[in-house]
Amino acid sequence: AMAEEFSVLEAELVDAAKQGNIDHVIALLRDVGKLHHLWQPNPAQAVAIERAAERCMRKDEEKEKVKTEDLQGGEAEEVEEPKGKGEKLMKGYMVSSVNEWGADQTRILLLTTEAVHRVKYNFHTDAVVSYHSTPFSSILRVEYGSFSAAPSSLTTFMWRREIEDQQGFRIFTSQRDGKKSINEVVAEDVVPALEGDKKDEAPRPPAEEFFREYRALLAEEEPWKEEVFMLEFVAALQAVKILTGAQFGIKLTKMVKSMPGGIFSVLHNANRRRQHGL
């Protein structure tokens, strides 16, 4: 039933996007008529999303230099003109962003007409701490669905049931989004050092893609919320792809999940839930 409901939402979003009606797409995502029961921010989150958007997004008044030719046959000259109509916010979400250690972090995720912005926000000071922007042109693909525990890890084996209850999506890019995980450090630095002269014989190729994982914020106690959030965000991405002509693919799959931080990541995630009263 949930999938059917979101297929209706996706059809409405895609139809509006094909007509180029960006305002209707935004209204659908923000569920102005409360027709689809989509995620809505509470008042504090709404303020945080607004401030995050002000900090991250390109403004209307920003200009770019363009060359114009003199109609009288003179030389081309550079003038400043506005960059289109500026970046528009489609919707902002509160998410659990999974870092390189497998630890969940509370973040704001902004979906705009140009990029996906991940924002670290301090709710005590009402200020943006930092942010990372991923323009659509740098996204290789998006995968979404449920997870399976990586068989090579004792930690993921012990917590496999919790992992397999989760649903979310991963944004793949050609540039690293974050720091190296302990697994990457071992593979790229420690193992070659231990191998000594062998490392020159068959050098390991560098990773060609990286991903960042996202799930609904603190939905561990109500896993169905993760599916609702995931399906909504994927439907929004489909509409944005049509509006912007972005080329990345979107694929439903079962994603293999490991926790490079081991028991420390598990304890961090459990403590984070306690701090939020879960």
Side-chain angles (χ1 to χ4, degrees), residues 77-211:
E77 61 174 347
E78 283 194 342
V79 298
E80 286 195 340
E81 289 188 357
K83 282 186 180 179
K85 296 180 180 178
E87 188 176 7
K88 278 193 173 184
L89 177 65
M90 307 302 291
K91 189 171 179 178
Y93 301 86
M94 296 300 305
V95 301
S96 285
S97 169
V98 185
N99 72 3
E100 57 276 0
W101 295 92
D104 295 338
Q105 299 174 311
T106 301
R107 296 290 184 265
I108 294 170
L109 200 64
L110 303 176
L111 178 62
T112 76
T113 49
E114 297 183 7
V116 176
H117 304 281
R118 184 179 68 253
V119 185
K120 182 178 181 180
Y121 192 85
N122 187 326
F123 281 88
H124 298 294
T125 60
D126 275 329
V128 171
V129 177
S130 60
Y131 67 92
H132 182 278
S133 299
T134 304
F136 296 143
S137 58
S138 69
I139 297 178
L140 300 175
R141 70 181 182 281
V142 176
E143 294 185 355
Y144 71 100
S146 57
F147 298 92
S148 61
S152 58
S153 166
L154 177 62
T155 306
T156 53
F157 176 77
M158 292 174 66
W159 271 271
R160 66 188 184 281
R161 183 169 294 177
E162 181 177 320
I163 288 171
E164 291 170 0
D165 277 344
Q166 296 175 357
Q167 297 192 62
F169 60 90
R170 290 173 172 173
I171 296 178
F172 287 78
T173 58
S174 57
Q175 300 294 318
R176 186 187 302 278
D177 181 357
K179 300 174 184 175
K180 288 183 181 180
S181 72
I182 187 65
N183 291 354
E184 290 172 320
V185 170
V186 169
E188 296 175 20
D189 302 326
V190 178
V191 171
L194 292 174
E195 289 177 345
D197 295 336
K198 291 182 183 177
K199 67 181 179 182
D200 296 324
E201 297 173 12
R204 287 177 173 79
E208 295 181 359
E209 60 181 31
F210 306 88
F211 68 81

Side-chain angles (χ1 to χ4, degrees), residues 28-39:
L28 284 169
L29 286 176
R30 299 189 187 181
D31 209 7
V32 175
K34 303 289 187 295
L35 299 175
H36 297 285
H37 309 290
L38 303 184
W39 181 84

Side-chain angles (χ1 to χ4, degrees), residues 14 34 60 83 85 95 134 149 169 178 199 207 214 218 239 247 259 268 274-275 277:
V14 166
K34 303 289 187 295
D60 289 357
K83 282 186 180 179
K85 296 180 180 178
V95 301
T134 304
F169 60 90
K199 67 181 179 182
Y214 299 97
L218 299 164
Q247 297 299 304
M259 299 184 75
H268 164 86
R274 280 197 299 273
Q275 289 175 346

Side-chain angles (χ1 to χ4, degrees), residues 11 18 30 33-34 40-42 52 55 62-63 76 82 109 124 163 169 173 197 205 235 237 267 271:
K18 285 179 177 177
R30 299 189 187 181
K34 303 289 187 295
Q40 301 286 349
N42 64 34
R55 174 78 178 273
E62 286 187 16
K63 298 181 179 181
L109 200 64
H124 298 294
I163 288 171
F169 60 90
T173 58
D197 295 336
L237 279 178
L267 293 173
N271 184 56

